Amino acid sequence: MFAGADARRVVRNTEPMAADRDAQLLALVQELERQDVDVAARIETVTLLLGRVDVVRAASRRVLGALEALPGATAAAEQSVRDALAREEEARGERETAERRLAEIKGARRANAEAKTEAERAVRRAIVAESDAAATVARMRERVAALAGDEVALTAEADGLVVEARQVAGEFAEVPRLSDSGRSAPGTSLAEIDEWGARAHAALFVVRGGLEGEREKVVLEANALVAATLGEQTSGASVALVRRRVEESLAQD
């Protein structure tokens, strides 16, 4: 009789101990989950900054390449205008010659019908050639004007990229563990922005790698804690999954 009562007292006495152990386990896992969430948020912040740096850098390289190609393209277009003008002048002369020839044939006392027909054809061909040359001149002039407009637009885009690069660089101040080279100013030219982007990308990549390693350790710690206290092997990709498994296990108990 007394032995049974003693056993019941032992059970009642051990129940609070088990409850305390469960509460401590859950609290530890919840703390690890908080750390996991915090590190995950920092990884996301760095990843977003990394993406913005890459976008700015890619844009700067595109604009720089386009600006560097403009002088050659403009020179070629201007030469095309000169060539088209020369061809237009030549076609005008051919048309005038053909018209004079036609007038001579028509003015002859004995106009040859075949010669007249051929002269009329020559005039029509010359008129078409002159019209085509004039159209080419117009197209080439439009091309030169379009290139000038491209230069204005690209220059404005370059100025905007300088501002955007500074804004992104300003946000680096909130990133811990970033190297000094990663915190350097982007400069004011597209070439400097490209170089800054390369340094910033490398620095942010290193920071993100460190944070990912830190998060992996937190997850491993949570899995190891559950294995040591509950005797269960878990392989959660995040501490939230581990915490849910702990809650399910404790609820079953």
Side-chain angles (χ1 to χ4, degrees), residues 125-137:
R125 288 195 298 268
I127 290 173
V128 171
E130 184 180 7
S131 177
D132 289 345
T136 301
V137 170

Side-chain angles (χ1 to χ4, degrees), residues 39-56:
V39 176
R42 284 188 284 161
I43 291 174
E44 182 179 4
T45 297
V46 172
T47 299
L48 290 174
L49 281 174
L50 190 57
R52 291 178 63 189
V53 166
D54 290 346
V55 168
V56 171

Side-chain angles (χ1 to χ4, degrees), residues 187-248:
T188 58
S189 71
L190 293 174
E192 289 173 334
I193 291 176
D194 182 26
E195 294 175 359
W196 162 82
R199 293 193 304 271
H201 177 97
L204 288 169
F205 190 82
V206 170
V207 171
R208 187 174 66 177
L211 290 172
E212 288 172 344
E214 182 178 332
R215 189 182 187 195
E216 183 178 354
K217 289 180 181 179
V218 172
V219 174
L220 290 174
E221 184 177 351
N223 287 321
L225 178 62
V226 173
T229 54
L230 298 182
E232 297 182 6
Q233 295 295 328
T234 59
S235 57
S238 70
V239 183
L241 296 177
V242 176
R243 188 257 305 157
R244 283 198 291 271
R245 181 67 193 97
V246 169
E247 290 176 342
E248 292 171 358

Side-chain angles (χ1 to χ4, degrees), residues 85-199:
L85 285 170
R87 176 56 190 144
E88 183 183 25
E89 182 64 25
E90 181 183 355
R92 184 180 299 110
E94 293 174 353
R95 189 254 306 161
E96 292 172 350
T97 299
E99 288 175 342
R100 285 194 299 270
R101 174 60 179 162
L102 178 59
E104 291 173 357
I105 292 174
K106 287 181 177 181
R109 291 182 179 181
R110 294 183 179 182
N112 185 295
E114 184 177 348
K116 178 182 176 183
T117 300
E118 180 58 32
E120 289 173 343
R121 290 174 181 168
V123 169
R124 288 196 294 269
R125 288 195 298 268
I127 290 173
V128 171
E130 184 180 7
S131 177
D132 289 345
T136 301
V137 170
R139 286 198 306 273
M140 291 302 99
R141 283 174 171 167
E142 289 176 356
R143 173 61 175 159
V144 171
L147 289 170
D150 289 346
E151 183 176 10
V152 172
L154 288 168
T155 301
E157 188 175 0
D159 292 340
L161 287 171
V162 171
V163 174
E164 187 173 359
R166 287 176 179 173
Q167 291 175 343
V168 176
E171 296 180 24
F172 287 1
E174 302 177 4
V175 178
R177 308 176 188 174
L178 194 67
S179 65
D180 292 339
S181 62
R183 296 183 187 277
S184 61
T188 58
S189 71
L190 293 174
E192 289 173 334
I193 291 176
D194 182 26
E195 294 175 359
W196 162 82
R199 293 193 304 271

